[in-house]
PDB file of all heavy atoms in Angstrom:
ATOM      1  N   VAL D   7     123.026-175.612  66.550  1.00 98.00           N
ATOM      2  CA  VAL D   7     124.068-175.468  67.569  1.00 98.00           C
ATOM      3  C   VAL D   7     125.292-176.239  67.103  1.00 98.00           C
ATOM      4  O   VAL D   7     125.192-177.430  66.790  1.00 98.00           O
ATOM      5  CB  VAL D   7     123.610-175.994  68.944  1.00 98.00           C
ATOM      6  CG1 VAL D   7     124.699-175.761  69.983  1.00 98.00           C
ATOM      7  CG2 VAL D   7     122.327-175.310  69.389  1.00 98.00           C
ATOM      8  N   ASP D   8     126.411-175.556  67.058  1.00 97.00           N
ATOM      9  CA  ASP D   8     127.671-176.221  66.722  1.00 97.00           C
ATOM     10  C   ASP D   8     128.295-176.725  68.022  1.00 97.00           C
ATOM     11  O   ASP D   8     128.854-175.946  68.806  1.00 97.00           O
ATOM     12  CB  ASP D   8     128.615-175.249  65.993  1.00 97.00           C
ATOM     13  CG  ASP D   8     129.823-175.992  65.407  1.00 97.00           C
ATOM     14  OD1 ASP D   8     130.191-177.050  65.954  1.00 97.00           O
ATOM     15  OD2 ASP D   8     130.390-175.506  64.417  1.00 97.00           O
ATOM     16  N   LEU D  11     131.837-176.022  69.070  1.00 96.00           N
ATOM     17  CA  LEU D  11     132.172-174.717  69.627  1.00 96.00           C
ATOM     18  C   LEU D  11     131.709-174.567  71.078  1.00 96.00           C
ATOM     19  O   LEU D  11     132.358-173.899  71.879  1.00 96.00           O
ATOM     20  CB  LEU D  11     131.524-173.601  68.788  1.00 96.00           C
ATOM     21  CG  LEU D  11     131.979-173.478  67.333  1.00 96.00           C
ATOM     22  CD1 LEU D  11     131.196-172.379  66.620  1.00 96.00           C
ATOM     23  CD2 LEU D  11     133.473-173.174  67.280  1.00 96.00           C
ATOM     24  N   CYS D  12     130.557-175.185  71.405  1.00 97.00           N
ATOM     25  CA  CYS D  12     129.983-175.009  72.750  1.00 97.00           C
ATOM     26  C   CYS D  12     130.967-175.484  73.813  1.00 97.00           C
ATOM     27  O   CYS D  12     131.485-176.584  73.759  1.00 97.00           O
ATOM     28  CB  CYS D  12     128.673-175.786  72.866  1.00 97.00           C
ATOM     29  SG  CYS D  12     127.951-175.690  74.517  1.00 97.00           S
ATOM     30  N   MET D  13     131.209-174.589  74.808  1.00 96.00           N
ATOM     31  CA  MET D  13     132.147-174.940  75.878  1.00 96.00           C
ATOM     32  C   MET D  13     131.420-175.133  77.203  1.00 96.00           C
ATOM     33  O   MET D  13     132.042-175.223  78.256  1.00 96.00           O
ATOM     34  CB  MET D  13     133.214-173.861  76.010  1.00 96.00           C
ATOM     35  CG  MET D  13     132.630-172.491  76.251  1.00 96.00           C
ATOM     36  SD  MET D  13     133.915-171.239  76.303  1.00 96.00           S
ATOM     37  CE  MET D  13     132.933-169.767  76.626  1.00 96.00           C
ATOM     38  N   GLY D  14     130.072-175.169  77.164  1.00 97.00           N
ATOM     39  CA  GLY D  14     129.301-175.479  78.374  1.00 97.00           C
ATOM     40  C   GLY D  14     129.288-174.406  79.430  1.00 97.00           C
ATOM     41  O   GLY D  14     129.087-174.700  80.603  1.00 97.00           O
ATOM     42  N   CYS D  15     129.447-173.141  79.033  1.00 98.00           N
ATOM     43  CA  CYS D  15     129.458-172.064  80.040  1.00 98.00           C
ATOM     44  C   CYS D  15     128.078-171.816  80.619  1.00 98.00           C
ATOM     45  O   CYS D  15     127.934-171.191  81.650  1.00 98.00           O
ATOM     46  CB  CYS D  15     130.004-170.778  79.432  1.00 98.00           C
ATOM     47  SG  CYS D  15     128.869-170.002  78.246  1.00 98.00           S
ATOM     48  N   LYS D  16     127.034-172.279  79.958  1.00 97.00           N
ATOM     49  CA  LYS D  16     125.633-172.129  80.376  1.00 97.00           C
ATOM     50  C   LYS D  16     125.154-170.689  80.340  1.00 97.00           C
ATOM     51  O   LYS D  16     124.147-170.347  80.955  1.00 97.00           O
ATOM     52  CB  LYS D  16     125.409-172.746  81.758  1.00 97.00           C
ATOM     53  CG  LYS D  16     125.581-174.249  81.746  1.00 97.00           C
ATOM     54  CD  LYS D  16     125.249-174.871  83.079  1.00 97.00           C
ATOM     55  CE  LYS D  16     125.428-176.364  83.023  1.00 97.00           C
ATOM     56  NZ  LYS D  16     124.193-177.096  83.054  1.00 97.00           N
ATOM     57  N   GLY D  17     125.881-169.845  79.626  1.00 98.00           N
ATOM     58  CA  GLY D  17     125.432-168.462  79.466  1.00 98.00           C
ATOM     59  C   GLY D  17     124.055-168.408  78.830  1.00 98.00           C
ATOM     60  O   GLY D  17     123.204-167.608  79.221  1.00 98.00           O
ATOM     61  N   CYS D  18     123.830-169.283  77.828  1.00 98.00           N
ATOM     62  CA  CYS D  18     122.534-169.292  77.144  1.00 98.00           C
ATOM     63  C   CYS D  18     121.412-169.693  78.091  1.00 98.00           C
ATOM     64  O   CYS D  18     120.304-169.140  78.047  1.00 98.00           O
ATOM     65  CB  CYS D  18     122.594-170.237  75.944  1.00 98.00           C
ATOM     66  SG  CYS D  18     123.212-171.878  76.331  1.00 98.00           S
ATOM     67  N   GLU D  19     121.707-170.659  78.967  1.00 98.00           N
ATOM     68  CA  GLU D  19     120.702-171.140  79.919  1.00 98.00           C
ATOM     69  C   GLU D  19     120.288-170.006  80.865  1.00 98.00           C
ATOM     70  O   GLU D  19     119.106-169.805  81.133  1.00 98.00           O
ATOM     71  CB  GLU D  19     121.299-172.319  80.691  1.00 98.00           C
ATOM     72  CG  GLU D  19     120.284-173.160  81.411  1.00 98.00           C
ATOM     73  CD  GLU D  19     120.932-174.377  82.074  1.00 98.00           C
ATOM     74  OE1 GLU D  19     121.595-175.159  81.379  1.00 98.00           O
ATOM     75  OE2 GLU D  19     120.770-174.538  83.294  1.00 98.00           O
ATOM     76  N   LEU D  35     115.513-173.805  78.242  1.00 98.00           N
ATOM     77  CA  LEU D  35     116.772-174.194  77.596  1.00 98.00           C
ATOM     78  C   LEU D  35     117.685-174.762  78.667  1.00 98.00           C
ATOM     79  O   LEU D  35     117.872-174.139  79.715  1.00 98.00           O
ATOM     80  CB  LEU D  35     117.406-172.960  76.952  1.00 98.00           C
ATOM     81  CG  LEU D  35     118.897-173.016  76.625  1.00 98.00           C
ATOM     82  CD1 LEU D  35     119.219-174.127  75.656  1.00 98.00           C
ATOM     83  CD2 LEU D  35     119.353-171.684  76.043  1.00 98.00           C
ATOM     84  N   VAL D  37     121.476-176.873  79.265  1.00 97.00           N
ATOM     85  CA  VAL D  37     122.715-177.381  78.666  1.00 97.00           C
ATOM     86  C   VAL D  37     123.078-178.685  79.368  1.00 97.00           C
ATOM     87  O   VAL D  37     123.506-178.686  80.525  1.00 97.00           O
ATOM     88  CB  VAL D  37     123.862-176.359  78.784  1.00 97.00           C
ATOM     89  CG1 VAL D  37     125.131-176.894  78.110  1.00 97.00           C
ATOM     90  CG2 VAL D  37     123.470-175.029  78.147  1.00 97.00           C
ATOM     91  N   PHE D  52     129.007-181.068  75.724  1.00 95.00           N
ATOM     92  CA  PHE D  52     127.847-180.261  76.139  1.00 95.00           C
ATOM     93  C   PHE D  52     126.829-180.186  75.003  1.00 95.00           C
ATOM     94  O   PHE D  52     127.199-180.071  73.829  1.00 95.00           O
ATOM     95  CB  PHE D  52     128.303-178.851  76.512  1.00 95.00           C
ATOM     96  CG  PHE D  52     129.310-178.838  77.616  1.00 95.00           C
ATOM     97  CD1 PHE D  52     130.669-178.798  77.343  1.00 95.00           C
ATOM     98  CD2 PHE D  52     128.901-178.901  78.942  1.00 95.00           C
ATOM     99  CE1 PHE D  52     131.600-178.806  78.365  1.00 95.00           C
ATOM    100  CE2 PHE D  52     129.830-178.909  79.964  1.00 95.00           C
ATOM    101  CZ  PHE D  52     131.188-178.862  79.678  1.00 95.00           C
ATOM    102  N   PRO D  54     123.251-178.008  74.347  1.00 97.00           N
ATOM    103  CA  PRO D  54     122.084-177.187  74.694  1.00 97.00           C
ATOM    104  C   PRO D  54     120.804-177.827  74.137  1.00 97.00           C
ATOM    105  O   PRO D  54     120.759-178.201  72.959  1.00 97.00           O
ATOM    106  CB  PRO D  54     122.378-175.841  74.008  1.00 97.00           C
ATOM    107  CG  PRO D  54     123.864-175.846  73.773  1.00 97.00           C
ATOM    108  CD  PRO D  54     124.212-177.280  73.516  1.00 97.00           C
ATOM    109  N   ARG D  56     116.573-177.439  73.748  1.00 98.00           N
ATOM    110  CA  ARG D  56     115.410-176.554  73.806  1.00 98.00           C
ATOM    111  C   ARG D  56     114.347-177.147  72.891  1.00 98.00           C
ATOM    112  O   ARG D  56     114.582-178.192  72.262  1.00 98.00           O
ATOM    113  CB  ARG D  56     115.786-175.135  73.369  1.00 98.00           C
ATOM    114  CG  ARG D  56     116.478-175.064  72.029  1.00 98.00           C
ATOM    115  CD  ARG D  56     116.593-173.647  71.532  1.00 98.00           C
ATOM    116  NE  ARG D  56     117.705-172.879  72.071  1.00 98.00           N
ATOM    117  CZ  ARG D  56     119.005-173.046  71.759  1.00 98.00           C
ATOM    118  NH1 ARG D  56     119.360-174.013  70.943  1.00 98.00           N
ATOM    119  NH2 ARG D  56     119.940-172.270  72.258  1.00 98.00           N
ATOM    120  N   CYS D 131     119.550-166.236  73.943  1.00 98.00           N
ATOM    121  CA  CYS D 131     120.631-167.225  74.024  1.00 98.00           C
ATOM    122  C   CYS D 131     121.651-167.035  72.906  1.00 98.00           C
ATOM    123  O   CYS D 131     122.836-167.325  73.079  1.00 98.00           O
ATOM    124  CB  CYS D 131     120.058-168.641  74.003  1.00 98.00           C
ATOM    125  SG  CYS D 131     119.020-168.975  72.579  1.00 98.00           S
ATOM    126  N   VAL D 134     123.951-163.933  73.775  1.00 98.00           N
ATOM    127  CA  VAL D 134     124.861-164.053  74.917  1.00 98.00           C
ATOM    128  C   VAL D 134     126.013-165.039  74.674  1.00 98.00           C
ATOM    129  O   VAL D 134     127.045-164.950  75.338  1.00 98.00           O
ATOM    130  CB  VAL D 134     124.048-164.448  76.179  1.00 98.00           C
ATOM    131  CG1 VAL D 134     123.778-165.952  76.194  1.00 98.00           C
ATOM    132  CG2 VAL D 134     124.722-163.998  77.436  1.00 98.00           C
ATOM    133  N   CYS D 135     125.866-165.945  73.725  1.00 98.00           N
ATOM    134  CA  CYS D 135     126.881-167.005  73.562  1.00 98.00           C
ATOM    135  C   CYS D 135     128.243-166.408  73.164  1.00 98.00           C
ATOM    136  O   CYS D 135     128.373-165.773  72.119  1.00 98.00           O
ATOM    137  CB  CYS D 135     126.418-168.003  72.501  1.00 98.00           C
ATOM    138  SG  CYS D 135     127.619-169.335  72.260  1.00 98.00           S
ATOM    139  N   PRO D 136     129.271-166.625  73.996  1.00 98.00           N
ATOM    140  CA  PRO D 136     130.565-165.999  73.724  1.00 98.00           C
ATOM    141  C   PRO D 136     131.313-166.608  72.549  1.00 98.00           C
ATOM    142  O   PRO D 136     132.273-166.013  72.051  1.00 98.00           O
ATOM    143  CB  PRO D 136     131.340-166.230  75.030  1.00 98.00           C
ATOM    144  CG  PRO D 136     130.702-167.415  75.664  1.00 98.00           C
ATOM    145  CD  PRO D 136     129.265-167.414  75.243  1.00 98.00           C
ATOM    146  N   VAL D 137     130.895-167.811  72.115  1.00 98.00           N
ATOM    147  CA  VAL D 137     131.615-168.460  71.012  1.00 98.00           C
ATOM    148  C   VAL D 137     130.743-168.632  69.768  1.00 98.00           C
ATOM    149  O   VAL D 137     131.105-169.341  68.835  1.00 98.00           O
ATOM    150  CB  VAL D 137     132.172-169.832  71.460  1.00 98.00           C
ATOM    151  CG1 VAL D 137     133.284-169.658  72.475  1.00 98.00           C
ATOM    152  CG2 VAL D 137     131.065-170.715  72.023  1.00 98.00           C
ATOM    153  N   GLN D 138     129.583-167.985  69.808  1.00 97.00           N
ATOM    154  CA  GLN D 138     128.638-168.032  68.673  1.00 97.00           C
ATOM    155  C   GLN D 138     128.335-169.457  68.226  1.00 97.00           C
ATOM    156  O   GLN D 138     128.334-169.776  67.025  1.00 97.00           O
ATOM    157  CB  GLN D 138     129.177-167.194  67.516  1.00 97.00           C
ATOM    158  CG  GLN D 138     129.299-165.745  67.919  1.00 97.00           C
ATOM    159  CD  GLN D 138     129.918-164.857  66.852  1.00 97.00           C
ATOM    160  OE1 GLN D 138     130.378-165.331  65.827  1.00 97.00           O
ATOM    161  NE2 GLN D 138     129.944-163.564  67.109  1.00 97.00           N
ATOM    162  N   ALA D 139     128.085-170.302  69.242  1.00 98.00           N
ATOM    163  CA  ALA D 139     127.738-171.696  68.939  1.00 98.00           C
ATOM    164  C   ALA D 139     126.288-171.814  68.484  1.00 98.00           C
ATOM    165  O   ALA D 139     125.913-172.793  67.844  1.00 98.00           O
ATOM    166  CB  ALA D 139     127.969-172.564  70.169  1.00 98.00           C
ATOM    167  N   ASN D 140     125.448-170.830  68.856  1.00 97.00           N
ATOM    168  CA  ASN D 140     124.029-170.836  68.474  1.00 97.00           C
ATOM    169  C   ASN D 140     123.835-170.029  67.204  1.00 97.00           C
ATOM    170  O   ASN D 140     124.115-168.827  67.185  1.00 97.00           O
ATOM    171  CB  ASN D 140     123.187-170.204  69.596  1.00 97.00           C
ATOM    172  CG  ASN D 140     123.172-171.064  70.845  1.00 97.00           C
ATOM    173  OD1 ASN D 140     122.668-172.175  70.827  1.00 97.00           O
ATOM    174  ND2 ASN D 140     123.730-170.543  71.915  1.00 97.00           N
TER     175      ASN D 140
HETATM  176  S1  SF4 E   2     126.350-169.822  75.753  1.00 97.14           S
HETATM  177 FE1  SF4 E   2     127.282-170.822  73.962  1.00 97.14          FE
HETATM  178  S2  SF4 E   2     129.153-171.808  74.778  1.00 97.14           S
HETATM  179 FE2  SF4 E   2     127.894-171.239  76.555  1.00 97.14          FE
HETATM  180  S3  SF4 E   2     126.727-173.146  76.965  1.00 97.14           S
HETATM  181 FE3  SF4 E   2     125.434-171.868  75.645  1.00 97.14          FE
HETATM  182  S4  SF4 E   2     125.882-172.547  73.546  1.00 97.14           S
HETATM  183 FE4  SF4 E   2     127.531-173.350  74.873  1.00 97.14          FE
END
Side-chain angles (χ1 to χ4, degrees):
V7 183
D8 191 333
L11 297 177
C12 177
M13 56 183 181
C15 71
K16 294 185 180 251
C18 51
E19 197 176 304
L35 161 60
V37 182
F52 301 95
R56 53 169 82 72
C131 56
V134 81
C135 180
V137 291
Q138 298 176 353
N140 292 296

